[in-house]
């Protein structure tokens, strides 16, 4: 059983708010902590499902869970063909590609992994509310929407910051929140790690022993260290 390297040296800035105006680039307004998985773009080896190994400087973009690369001219681009990616190795960090998610490895054993998915939600509203009885503009708009059943988070680049009747210099407050969901993955499937039933599916060899441990040691299914401990025990059965 292997425990993955922590890819964050310091805690993330998980929530906050910034002022924006019409036409502002949202990526330039948000802190990198909530946009990217790794602290910096890193040299990496990218293994594909057909056995090829590619190299480049990469990072993982949290809002729509895509791979970003640094091109030869220095531009940051979104990689295409990511459905062919199997794993990414960036130094001591291993990232698995499962069900269209890039899953950083927290622990691994015989093809089973413990990981986490970061989800970013953004809302914005006018800084100064106006009496707009004839307007259809909502007070808040969600830019990043959570979809159920492990679907991708969609980054709606076509959503305008304000409607066409708003003045060019109107100031909005954009509020962001980053949450973490711990997951298990095995045989190309993702399971939520916040419940015992997922561990029983991933480690079916001795279900009675897994149940006993989770009960006796009061496993906290929302705590990283507690989940790693349970995963380590299951890996030794």
């Amino acid at each position: 059983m292997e425990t993955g390297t922590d890819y964050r040296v310091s805690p993330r800035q998980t929530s906050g708010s910034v002022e924006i105006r019409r036409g502002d680039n949202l990526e330039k307004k948000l802190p990198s902590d909530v946009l990217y998985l790794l602290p910096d773009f890193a040299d990496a080896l990218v293994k594909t499902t057909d056995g090829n190994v590619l190299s480049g400087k990469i990072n993982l973009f949290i809002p729509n869970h895509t791979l970003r690369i640094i091109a030869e001219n220095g531009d940051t681009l979104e990689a295409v063909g990511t459905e062919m990616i199997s794993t990414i190795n960036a130094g001591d960090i291993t990232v698995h590609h499962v069900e269209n998610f890039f899953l950083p490895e927290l622990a691994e054993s015989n093809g089973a992994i413990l990981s986490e998915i970061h989800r970013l939600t953004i809302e914005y509203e006018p800084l100064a509310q106006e009496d707009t009885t004839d307007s259809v503009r909502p007070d808040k708009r969600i830019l990043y929407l959570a979809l159920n059943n492990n679907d991708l988070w969609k980054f709606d680049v076509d959503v305008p910051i304000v409607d066409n009747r708003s003045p060019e210099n109107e100031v909005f407050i954009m509020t962001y929140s980053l949450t973490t969901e711990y997951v298990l993955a095995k045989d190309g499937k993702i399971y939520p790690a916040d419940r015992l039933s997922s561990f029983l599916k991933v480690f079916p060899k001795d279900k009675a022993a897994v149940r006993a441990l989770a009960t006796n040691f009061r496993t906290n299914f929302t705590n990283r260290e507690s989940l790693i401990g349970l995963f380590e025990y299951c890996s030794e059965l």
Side-chain angles (χ1 to χ4, degrees):
M1 204 285 298
E2 296 183 0
T3 301
T5 300
D6 193 342
Y7 50 89
R8 280 281 165 182
V9 177
S10 59
R12 290 179 182 275
Q13 181 180 347
T14 57
S15 63
S17 61
V18 295
E19 292 187 2
I20 56 172
R21 289 178 171 81
R22 184 180 180 86
D24 283 347
N25 186 329
L26 298 181
E27 290 187 36
K28 293 182 179 180
K29 288 290 185 177
L30 292 171
S32 60
D33 267 4
V34 302
L35 290 176
Y36 288 100
L37 186 75
L38 305 178
D40 299 293
F41 278 75
D43 292 321
L45 295 178
V46 180
K47 299 179 182 179
T48 63
T49 54
D50 58 3
N52 291 324
V53 179
L54 309 173
S55 62
K57 191 175 288 292
I58 65 94
N59 209 331
L60 296 162
F61 191 63
I62 291 174
N64 61 353
H65 224 74
T66 54
L67 178 66
R68 294 288 180 91
I69 60 175
I70 300 295
E72 292 183 357
N73 63 359
D75 290 343
T76 301
L77 306 175
E78 182 174 315
V80 297
T82 54
E83 69 276 1
M84 293 293 293
I85 294 177
S86 174
T87 58
I88 299 173
N89 293 101
D92 295 331
I93 302 163
T94 299
V95 179
H96 301 261
H97 191 220
V98 184
E99 291 190 14
N100 293 325
F101 281 100
F102 289 102
L103 304 179
E105 183 181 297
L106 302 181
E108 187 277 337
S109 177
N110 297 322
I113 65 170
L114 174 66
S115 183
E116 57 190 3
I117 294 175
H118 299 290
R119 300 187 183 278
L120 177 62
T121 301
I122 298 176
E123 296 179 341
Y124 62 88
E125 57 186 327
L127 180 61
Q129 297 289 339
E130 298 178 359
D131 186 9
T132 55
T133 56
D134 60 343
S135 174
V136 296
R137 186 182 68 191
D139 288 339
K140 289 188 176 182
R141 301 185 182 187
I142 299 176
L143 300 184
Y144 295 80
L145 302 178
L147 303 180
N148 295 325
N149 301 322
N150 288 320
D151 288 336
L152 282 173
W153 280 59
K154 303 297 183 182
F155 179 30
D156 192 354
V157 295
D158 295 326
V159 174
I161 292 181
V162 293
D163 63 40
N164 291 331
R165 288 174 292 177
S166 300
E168 293 293 327
N169 61 349
E170 183 177 8
V171 179
F172 280 65
I173 294 296
M174 182 171 66
T175 303
Y176 59 87
S177 176
L178 187 71
T179 57
T180 298
E181 173 191 351
Y182 295 104
V183 296
L184 296 164
K186 187 177 183 181
D187 298 330
K189 295 183 179 181
I190 295 176
Y191 305 91
D194 63 353
R195 62 203 67 175
L196 178 60
S197 59
S198 295
F199 280 84
L200 299 178
K201 291 176 182 177
V202 174
F203 298 100
K205 184 178 179 180
D206 194 340
K207 294 183 178 181
V210 175
R211 287 193 184 97
L213 177 86
T215 301
N216 295 337
F217 288 90
R218 298 181 180 179
T219 300
N220 182 344
F221 287 94
T222 62
N223 178 269
R224 175 191 285 210
E225 288 71 26
S226 187
L227 288 171
I228 290 176
L230 179 59
F231 188 95
E232 290 176 344
Y233 176 85
C234 294
S235 301
E236 297 172 358
L237 294 177

